Amino acid sequence: MDERQLRILRELGELGSVSAVADALLVTPSAISQQLRLLQSTMPVPLTERQGRRLVLTDAGQALAAAAVGVETALERARHAVQEFVGRTDAEVSVAAFHSAGAAFFPPLLHALAGPGMPRLALADEDVAQEDFPRLTRAYDLVLAHRLEHAPPWPATVAAATLLREPLDVALPAGHRLAAKRRLSPRDVAGEPWITVHDGFPVLAVIDAIAAAAGRRPHLAHRINEFAVVAEVVAAGGGIALMPRWTMRPHPDLVLRPLGGVQARRHIDVLCRPERTARTAVRTVLAELRRAAHAISRRDSGERDTGERDTGERDTERAGGSST
């Protein structure tokens, strides 16, 4: 049985004829009769009987019609509860991010949504390989994910929007011989010992591109995903590394230099299951993520303009703070 069939039975008990029910529900009498037959097929006893030319409810039919009132009431309460849930502005919204995105986006989110009536954030770090991010949308409302510029798109099962297209620069110790150059080429860096990420993370594909462009395989000295650790290892002379330009905290002993000759850029995308965006609170958090991304890119643009006038120092002497 379904809600529509129960309502028809209830209306039949109140209105007294199939034609009257059809008029009330704006359907044909044959459609009403068909639904009554389908309902009857699920019951072990007759629900209706003929009295002359009229179809009336049996005792069992009257009992089920009375129960239908409770069913409709419960369903209406359920609909109201869903509408209230969808429309609540202060509902909890769970957000997961890989480490460097969390470091960049979590603080502005917390500040922007701190007032009364705002969504309640439940933040989590999830540093996974690119292919595993879509699965996280089962557990979280919004997922900040990374992928390279020309990587395959996310699967159609998730909704995706790009927040940032972030350059990946070469991080060097401040006293490194290459730090005097404003821009580096694959040949400049291919012979250096590298600190890079584990398999499955987008930075590694850029290392492969450097190898192809330079015609030699770089030496991968260390495999470290956490950029805070990478920054310290670079500063200590353990090698050079690729680090994101924008989602970074300053490190006094490092310089960043842009890399030419290869595509060295990653996307920071926000993923979710499409139905999650029906919630007002989720849409509010999405809007704040976009505002934060805009602020990050505008801030960096201003710094780069100044850095170009000052031989690149202000832009490129930034590194540190978070993982892929």
Side-chain angles (χ1 to χ4, degrees), residues 1-2 5-7 9-10 36 39-40 42-48 57-72:
M1 73 181 74
D2 62 28
Q5 293 167 353
L6 289 177
R7 185 181 179 193
L9 190 72
R10 178 186 175 188
L36 287 172
L39 178 60
Q40 181 63 71
T42 66
M43 295 290 113
V45 294
L47 299 176
T48 61
L57 300 185
T58 64
D59 291 344
Q62 291 173 7
L64 185 56
V69 176
V71 171
E72 286 201 55

Side-chain angles (χ1 to χ4, degrees), residues 35-114:
Q35 291 301 314
L36 287 172
R37 285 194 297 271
L38 289 173
L39 178 60
Q40 181 63 71
S41 68
T42 66
M43 295 290 113
V45 294
L47 299 176
T48 61
E49 61 183 4
R50 286 285 175 184
Q51 287 187 358
R53 299 181 62 181
R54 298 180 59 214
L55 185 69
V56 299
L57 300 185
T58 64
D59 291 344
Q62 291 173 7
L64 185 56
V69 176
V71 171
E72 286 201 55
T73 302
L75 287 172
E76 189 59 34
R77 286 174 179 163
R79 292 189 192 95
H80 179 74
V82 170
Q83 291 169 356
E84 186 178 54
F85 171 74
V86 168
R88 279 186 60 188
T89 60
D90 61 347
E92 180 178 281
V93 177
S94 55
V95 184
F98 60 97
H99 295 148
S100 54
F105 284 93
F106 286 173
L109 272 186
L110 288 167
H111 289 304
L113 302 174

Side-chain angles (χ1 to χ4, degrees), residues 44-315:
V45 294
L47 299 176
T48 61
E49 61 183 4
R50 286 285 175 184
Q51 287 187 358
R53 299 181 62 181
R54 298 180 59 214
L55 185 69
V56 299
L57 300 185
T58 64
D59 291 344
Q62 291 173 7
L64 185 56
V69 176
V71 171
E72 286 201 55
T73 302
L75 287 172
E76 189 59 34
R77 286 174 179 163
R79 292 189 192 95
H80 179 74
V82 170
Q83 291 169 356
E84 186 178 54
F85 171 74
V86 168
R88 279 186 60 188
T89 60
D90 61 347
E92 180 178 281
V93 177
S94 55
V95 184
F98 60 97
H99 295 148
S100 54
F105 284 93
F106 286 173
L109 272 186
L110 288 167
H111 289 304
L113 302 174
M118 290 294 186
R120 293 177 288 106
L121 294 172
L123 306 177
D125 63 325
E126 290 281 1
D127 196 17
V128 300
Q130 179 178 322
E131 63 185 14
D132 293 328
F133 278 110
R135 300 173 192 169
L136 295 178
T137 60
R138 294 187 181 96
Y140 301 99
D141 294 314
L142 299 171
V143 175
L144 299 187
H146 52 61
R147 69 180 179 91
L148 285 183
E149 184 87 17
H150 299 298
W154 301 108
T157 54
V158 299
T162 297
L163 296 174
L164 289 175
R165 293 176 173 87
E166 181 176 33
L168 299 170
D169 293 329
V170 179
L172 308 159
H176 196 282
R177 62 181 178 80
L178 293 175
K181 302 188 72 169
R182 293 188 62 185
R183 178 175 291 272
L184 302 176
S185 71
R187 289 185 179 274
D188 291 329
V189 299
E192 298 291 322
W194 279 88
I195 306 156
T196 189
V197 296
H198 294 278
D199 292 341
F201 291 80
V203 172
L204 195 61
V206 181
I207 302 295
D208 293 336
I210 291 170
R216 62 182 294 184
R217 185 69 187 174
H219 171 48
L220 306 183
H222 309 288
R223 295 291 191 109
I224 303 170
N225 272 21
E226 174 56 63
F227 277 143
V229 180
V230 172
E232 297 301 331
V233 175
V234 172
I240 66 176
L242 285 172
M243 289 191 177
R245 180 183 297 171
W246 297 343
T247 54
M248 308 281 294
R249 293 176 182 172
H251 192 293
D253 299 324
L254 299 189
V255 296
L256 296 185
R257 293 294 183 255
L259 179 64
V262 295
Q263 289 285 344
R265 188 181 295 267
R266 70 174 181 181
H267 284 207
I268 297 180
D269 296 337
V270 57
L271 312 182
C272 68
R273 297 203 163 194
E275 65 271 18
R276 303 288 178 98
T277 59
R279 297 174 54 201
T280 300
V282 171
R283 293 198 303 273
T284 299
V285 176
L286 271 173
E288 290 302 333
L289 284 170
R290 293 189 179 98
R291 289 190 187 96
H294 184 65
I296 291 168
S297 61
R298 285 192 62 184
R299 180 185 65 217
D300 180 77
S301 177
E303 289 176 1
R304 284 189 283 116
D305 290 344
T306 303
E308 289 174 359
R309 293 193 296 270
D310 280 343
T311 69
E313 292 180 0
R314 285 190 62 185
D315 174 51

